[in-house]
Amino acid sequence: MRLDTDVLVLGGGPAGTWAAIAAAGTGADVILADKGYCGTSGATASGGNNLWYLPEDPEVRDAAMAERETAGGGLTDRTWMTRVQEETYRQVNRLAGWGYRFPADEYGRERRNTLQGPEYMRRMRGRVRRSGVRILDHHPALELLTDSAGVVSGAAGLRRQEGWERYEVRAGAVVLATGGCAFLSGAFGLNIDTGDGHLMAAELGAELSGMEFSAVYGLSPAYGNHTKGLMMHYASYYEPDGTPIPLDGPGGVRGARVRLARLVAEGR
């Protein structure tokens, strides 16, 4: 199968679906290829998502950036942090306008700092389709294609549900949104995060600054592989001697996570 398009997006998670919607919004012809089923595969679709959603208050946003700078040892860039805050605020409000229902507090105010992955990605798939994007489910990409000048001009892969036939898509632009490389963690939803996009780009000489862009390690019981954090908010934690670790102490759950991390680092 050979197709031509303006923009080819590889990956059907949050990054891929938002990229496809943005490209289609400019009037471009867009194809999105996912090695699974766009809207259900990947880490996001299997859990919850925390958002850096802050009100349009310079003081609040500056304070939030200062807190992140301290936590990150100063390895931050305020230009990027500001952009993330602004873009998150704008796009989450769009998501609400598309009908995503956020929980409300006792005063009826919506709490837009988290998303439920299954409903979020179900709605994103629907929005991608309504944007006129052609979705190729179960179409893993194996390599990037280049033109005579060596410029990336598409991708090729296999059609899993069509006898593993080869497909090629030629495009004016290619967006790699295939996720990270955390499949060996065994954590819930990460079995498909095999670094496909990173490898395909590296094969053509791309320079990488990192594979995983997070320093957060989720809490998980020793007998399981589920690292989604919401359920852990309701767990009970204890010091090695049996003393309870309160979750309502300084910093709440975040503060408790810091104390737990220190215990683990000490081998306790």
Side-chain angles (χ1 to χ4, degrees):
M1 182 178 73
R2 291 179 171 83
L3 302 172
D4 292 288
T5 189
D6 296 323
V7 178
L8 169 63
V9 178
L10 299 181
T17 50
W18 279 109
I21 292 169
T26 69
D29 182 69
V30 183
I31 291 177
L32 182 152
D34 192 334
K35 69 178 179 182
Y37 184 85
C38 173
T40 65
S41 64
T44 295
S46 62
N49 302 262
N50 295 325
L51 302 171
W52 208 19
Y53 183 86
L54 300 170
E56 293 182 293
D57 184 330
E59 292 187 2
V60 172
R61 292 188 175 183
D62 284 344
M65 286 191 285
E67 180 183 357
R68 295 295 178 95
E69 286 172 337
T70 300
L75 298 177
T76 52
D77 184 330
R78 285 218 170 193
T79 301
W80 280 103
M81 295 167 82
T82 299
R83 184 176 178 183
V84 169
Q85 289 178 341
E86 293 174 349
E87 192 72 1
T88 300
Y89 186 81
R90 184 172 72 90
Q91 299 290 29
V92 170
N93 289 346
R94 287 182 70 193
L95 186 62
W98 295 340
Y100 182 92
R101 298 184 64 180
F102 289 90
D105 61 19
E106 61 270 28
Y107 302 105
R109 296 173 299 193
E110 287 189 344
R111 306 174 72 172
R112 297 186 178 182
N113 60 337
T114 62
L115 293 171
Q116 293 302 310
E119 172 60 17
Y120 169 35
M121 292 313 303
R122 182 186 73 85
R123 194 165 293 278
M124 288 300 290
R125 179 185 174 90
R127 193 68 193 184
V128 168
R129 295 185 63 186
R130 287 192 292 275
S131 297
V133 176
R134 179 175 179 178
I135 300 176
L136 302 179
D137 292 311
H138 304 292
H139 280 63
L142 301 181
E143 62 178 326
L144 296 176
L145 304 176
T146 58
D147 60 19
S148 57
V151 177
V152 174
S153 59
L158 300 175
R159 307 176 70 191
R160 292 177 54 199
Q161 296 185 331
E162 303 295 335
W164 297 96
E165 295 178 352
R166 178 181 170 86
Y167 77 90
E168 292 184 5
V169 179
R170 291 288 179 174
V174 179
V175 178
L176 296 177
T178 57
C181 191
F183 69 102
L184 289 178
S185 70
F188 193 47
L190 297 182
N191 59 307
I192 68 166
D193 281 0
T194 52
D196 302 0
H198 296 82
L199 175 59
M200 288 186 285
E203 288 175 336
L204 295 182
E207 295 183 5
L208 305 178
S209 63
M211 290 293 283
E212 300 299 326
F213 303 93
S214 173
V216 175
Y217 289 80
L219 298 175
S220 176
Y223 52 81
N225 66 348
H226 200 307
T227 58
K228 306 304 180 183
L230 185 59
M231 66 177 66
M232 307 306 288
H233 288 207
Y234 305 98
S236 298
Y237 301 95
Y238 303 87
E239 299 277 3
D241 63 3
T243 303
I245 299 176
L247 295 185
D248 56 357
V253 174
R254 180 179 295 181
R257 175 179 289 180
V258 171
R259 291 193 291 277
L260 293 171
R262 286 174 177 161
L263 288 173
V264 173
E266 295 169 3
R268 300 165 66 192

